[in-house]
Amino acid sequence: DADKDANGKLKYEILSSSMNSIFTIEENTGSLRIESPLDRETCDKYEIILRVSDGGIPARSTIVTAIVYVSDVNDMAPKTTKPAYDFSVSENIVIGTTIGIISVTDEDSGINSQVTFTIVTNWKGAPLHFEIDRTRGTIYTTANLDRELDNDYSFLIRAKDGGTPSLWSDISVNIKIEDVNDNKPIFRHTEYSTSIFENITTGTNFLSTGATDDDLGDNALIRYDLDISTENGQKANYYFGVHRSTGNIFLLRNIDREVYQSFTLTVIARDNGIPSLWNQARVQINIEDVNDNMPVFSPLFYNAEVSSVNLCDAVVTTVTASDPDLGRNAVINYSFQENDASGFFSISHLGNFL
């Protein structure tokens, strides 16, 4: 103020009543001071109406607007929309497939708000199967997945801003691996061999050929059939059956060992996946003999002559019989019925009539 004495003495004041709790002004010097803490994230600019008056009578004054811009400091850590993310993904996806995106915000500005992402801790599942884009927060696969080896993964992601010092937030990620039908049924053995007696009861289970499947749900449900694409398979299917759900083989019809001594069949196990996968096992069934056949003479009538003066061979004739059974069941011993031959003749165990 070009005036002198009281006419040139200036007085400063804030006219904006809403600003009095935030700023104060020294009335003699015009120094503007901060009265309470500022928060750029709440308000980054203030417009303060000031009046400066002289001491004359009448006083003269001027009104001016002072604009205060609040510069940012890194006081806000990156903030995620949720502390944990859950994703699910099929085990047959290709490498590089995006699983999901981690979303964060940082209310600071400039470099203080620039967020980078890293995986800092692997909790569960083989490492190096997933990675996160450092700037976009996109999680993607870096290796082939196999649910039968690792069915879920858990790791910790850190979202870190670019301020000095930097601030960060940690986010946990859980990824569930969903099953696809990529495993065929596996039998305990590729070949089975067993023996049964020819007189076992129809319906009897005598061999288990169950298979397992490492998949889940419908992909692991197994049904069993006999292969009837060959002549041997059709013959076996007439005498034997397989339980659709267990793979147990059972007898359908009685077998005569004297007709069939063995069977070879193929059991097929198919899962319920789409498309269905299958495997097979070979089964050898040997039929054991039981003593179900009587000896049969051939011929049924023998005619022989003997000398009355004992000049001939002691063996009058030899009778012969056969038995279609096996082993001891087919060994034949010869004897007379009681009271036959009147004591003049005898027969050896070999059938020699003496």
Side-chain angles (χ1 to χ4, degrees), residues 52 98 112-113 255 274 331:
V52 57
T98 296
N112 294 333
S113 65
I255 301 173
I274 299 176
V331 174

Side-chain angles (χ1 to χ4, degrees), residues 261-305:
Q261 291 75 46
S262 65
F263 293 85
T264 300
L265 54 88
T266 299
V267 180
I268 298 176
R270 290 185 177 87
D271 63 31
N272 206 35
I274 299 176
S276 177
L277 300 179
W278 63 278
N279 207 342
Q280 65 183 32
R282 181 178 178 271
V283 178
Q284 176 73 28
I285 303 172
N286 298 313
I287 310 302
E288 296 288 340
D289 185 54
V290 295
N291 193 27
D292 59 348
N293 291 278
M294 66 178 62
V296 175
F297 281 99
S298 178
L300 296 177
F301 176 78
Y302 291 81
N303 183 28
E305 295 180 353

Side-chain angles (χ1 to χ4, degrees), residues 50-284:
L50 304 173
R51 181 170 63 189
V52 57
S53 305
D54 61 23
I57 300 174
R60 293 181 179 273
S61 63
T62 298
I63 294 175
V64 66
T65 299
I67 300 177
V68 178
Y69 294 96
V70 181
S71 299
D72 184 52
V73 294
N74 193 33
D75 59 347
M76 303 296 293
K79 184 184 298 183
T80 180
T81 56
K82 49 186 178 181
Y85 283 77
D86 295 297
F87 302 106
S88 59
V89 63
S90 177
E91 65 176 314
N92 65 342
I93 61 172
V94 299
I95 296 175
T97 299
T98 296
I99 305 302
I101 299 176
I102 304 300
S103 177
V104 299
T105 58
D106 192 313
E107 295 179 356
D108 292 317
S109 64
I111 194 172
N112 294 333
S113 65
Q114 295 178 9
V115 179
T116 56
F117 300 88
T118 53
I119 297 176
V120 293
T121 304
N122 190 82
W123 288 322
K124 189 175 183 182
L128 306 179
H129 279 65
F130 296 93
E131 190 53 83
I132 187 167
D133 187 279
R134 287 181 57 83
T135 58
R136 294 195 295 260
T138 302
I139 299 175
Y140 58 93
T141 59
T142 55
N144 291 319
L145 304 177
D146 188 344
R147 188 207 60 81
E148 288 71 40
L149 295 179
D150 289 299
N151 59 6
D152 57 75
Y153 294 80
S154 297
F155 48 85
L156 185 70
I157 289 177
R158 178 160 293 171
K160 187 175 182 180
D161 65 28
T164 304
S166 62
L167 302 176
W168 66 82
S169 294
D170 289 339
I171 306 107
S172 62
V173 174
N174 301 293
I175 302 176
K176 180 181 179 181
I177 310 303
E178 296 179 343
D179 186 54
V180 297
N181 194 31
D182 58 349
N183 289 277
K184 63 183 179 180
I186 300 296
F187 285 95
R188 290 188 294 271
H189 307 283
T190 57
E191 294 190 359
Y192 294 82
S193 180
T194 190
S195 297
I196 61 173
F197 285 102
E198 61 179 318
N199 65 340
I200 68 169
T201 306
T202 57
T204 301
N205 294 323
F206 60 86
L207 180 64
S208 175
T209 63
T212 58
D213 193 310
D214 289 335
D215 291 316
L216 287 180
D218 285 346
N219 295 334
L221 291 177
I222 301 174
R223 63 185 187 276
Y224 301 88
D225 295 289
L226 295 181
D227 181 11
I228 58 173
S229 63
T230 65
E231 183 178 347
N232 283 338
Q234 292 174 8
K235 181 178 69 175
N237 189 59
Y238 181 80
Y239 287 99
F240 303 100
V242 61
H243 287 286
R244 295 273 289 173
S245 59
T246 65
N248 291 336
I249 298 176
F250 60 94
L251 185 68
L252 279 176
R253 293 176 176 85
N254 291 321
I255 301 173
D256 187 353
R257 189 211 61 82
E258 287 70 43
V259 177
Y260 295 115
Q261 291 75 46
S262 65
F263 293 85
T264 300
L265 54 88
T266 299
V267 180
I268 298 176
R270 290 185 177 87
D271 63 31
N272 206 35
I274 299 176
S276 177
L277 300 179
W278 63 278
N279 207 342
Q280 65 183 32
R282 181 178 178 271
V283 178
Q284 176 73 28

Side-chain angles (χ1 to χ4, degrees), residues 16-60:
S16 307
S17 59
S18 61
M19 297 295 169
N20 286 327
S21 61
I22 303 173
F23 299 97
T24 59
I25 192 168
E26 211 287 317
E27 67 175 14
N28 294 322
T29 64
S31 296
L32 190 65
R33 294 186 177 88
I34 299 172
E35 185 68 18
S36 60
L38 303 180
D39 186 357
R40 189 204 64 81
E41 288 72 38
T42 302
C43 182
D44 61 357
K45 184 178 75 170
Y46 296 89
E47 295 184 1
I48 308 170
I49 301 176
L50 304 173
R51 181 170 63 189
V52 57
S53 305
D54 61 23
I57 300 174
R60 293 181 179 273

